[in-house]
Amino acid sequence: MMPVGATLSRWTMSYFGAALFFLLLAEGLLAAGAWAPSSNVAEPHALIIVHCITIGWLGLLMIGALLQFTPVLTGLSLPTGRLDLPCLAGSVAGLGLLLFGFHLIDTGSEAAGPVMVAASSVLPASLLSIGFVLLSGLWRGRAAHAASPLVMIGMACLAVTLALGALFAVTVSGLTEATGIIAFVANAVPFHASFGLAGWMSFAAIGVSYKLLPMFLLSDDMKRAPFIRATGLLAAGTLAVAMVSTIFAPVLGQRLFLFGSLLFQLPVAPYLADLFSTYRARRRKSLELNMVGSLPAFVLLGLSVPMLAIALASDAAPEVFTAIGYLFVFGWLTGFGLSQLLKIVPFLTWIEAFGPLLGRRPTPRLAELINGRRATAWLCIFYLAVVAAAAAITLGSDAAFHLATIAQTFSTAALTIELALARTLANVDPAAKSAPFQPPALFSAANHRGNAHGSAS
């Protein structure tokens, strides 16, 4: 386990808070009817929701987690922590400009161009700056654990995703009228989505979980990281070649894109096999809340990836691809993220609040910080709502989708409240919080390093 005396990332909780805000914003817009299965996913109001989820929720969540756990992966501290808060502020501001730009496009405003240009400057600069800090830490400690190279693949895909996004924004702004660039942008949307979802977010999540899940389960390290790294590089490289090919030979680029998408099966299958082996070999026989909650996410990952391959091979209808994407984004990435937050937030809170008191007086158990029964119920509702929403998309039912997204939003809000209660130690016996005791701040870690060493679990 992570030692109680380990350094805490000061602003990780702020990244988590901002991420949850954008997730609730996106789901709230869905529940309010801003998008429905009968609508086009390329419409500006749909793009507002998409980027709230991908950049605002998943992107900030992953960066916040990496700020805390990159030193755990590498055994080395990050080069600097001075950029953490400025880059968070820049990312939120840049995303706000991007969302406002989409709104202006939807209304036909001439101000959309300048706003999109500003967004294409602020947002990539902020994300790439903090990404460089993380990548430098991962590179220096790349030999410490097999998970580090997997996360670095994700970071490289993030850079490609941001470059494509900036190019899209500049093109939409009207700054360039070159037909070649416009044609490339029209063909590059699938690459933007693939590098972002399958590349950056999935490989970063896989990499972090390769370290954290055995740690939380008290199991041996997973063994198939070299194969996952090799096949991941192959899939990402094929997508990169396909993207470049679209400039000169669009038909060839599309075929290579299909091939690269099929190659994504290769790293996912051994990852799931490693997970199964890790679960079976665990020394902690009773599964904790975060691990129970992650099981549906792994199942939906195992279903959505081959479903995508089948849909691509059979030239399925657009609503099928949208439904698969919904399962992948909300079932796998969001479900896994929320489940792990139910462990990470109480875990870091316990270290900050009670780590310095360990051995000096009785301290509460980690499980006491969160109400596991309530959180499990909300996770069940969340997953059922996600599956129901995906089914509604496939069937083209706006009414069923609306009901499912209301349930999904409500369960996410309830889980967010559970996390806030854990962070504020609302579930802990008041006697455990008697002086001398320093309660943690909601969005920052003031106690950077505990004085005691041991396990928080």
Side-chain angles (χ1 to χ4, degrees), residues 211 268 308 327 330 379 440:
K211 175 67 176 181
V268 170
L308 175 62
L327 281 179
F330 285 109
L379 277 175

Side-chain angles (χ1 to χ4, degrees), residues 9-23 55-68 81-92 126-127 129-131 133-134 200 341 345 442-444:
S9 167
R10 184 174 185 183
W11 300 112
T12 282
M13 291 298 171
S14 294
Y15 277 85
F16 289 168
L20 288 165
F21 166 79
F22 282 110
L23 173 60
I55 300 174
W57 158 237
L58 295 172
L60 294 180
L61 172 70
M62 185 54 62
I63 290 172
L66 288 173
L67 287 173
Q68 179 61 61
R82 295 179 180 178
L83 295 179
D84 297 1
L85 185 59
C87 286
L88 173 60
S91 298
V92 171
S126 301
L127 291 175
S129 295
I130 195 64
V133 172
L134 294 169
W200 151 232
L341 280 180
V345 171
L442 187 60
F443 294 117
S444 64

Side-chain angles (χ1 to χ4, degrees), residues 55 90 93-99 101 112-128 161-173 175:
I55 300 174
L95 179 55
L97 287 170
L98 182 66
L99 302 181
V115 171
M116 294 299 280
V117 171
S120 67
S121 301
V122 177
L123 186 57
S126 301
L127 291 175
L128 288 174
T161 305
L162 291 172
L164 289 173
L167 183 60
F168 293 162
V170 170
T171 303
V172 168
S173 71
L175 281 182

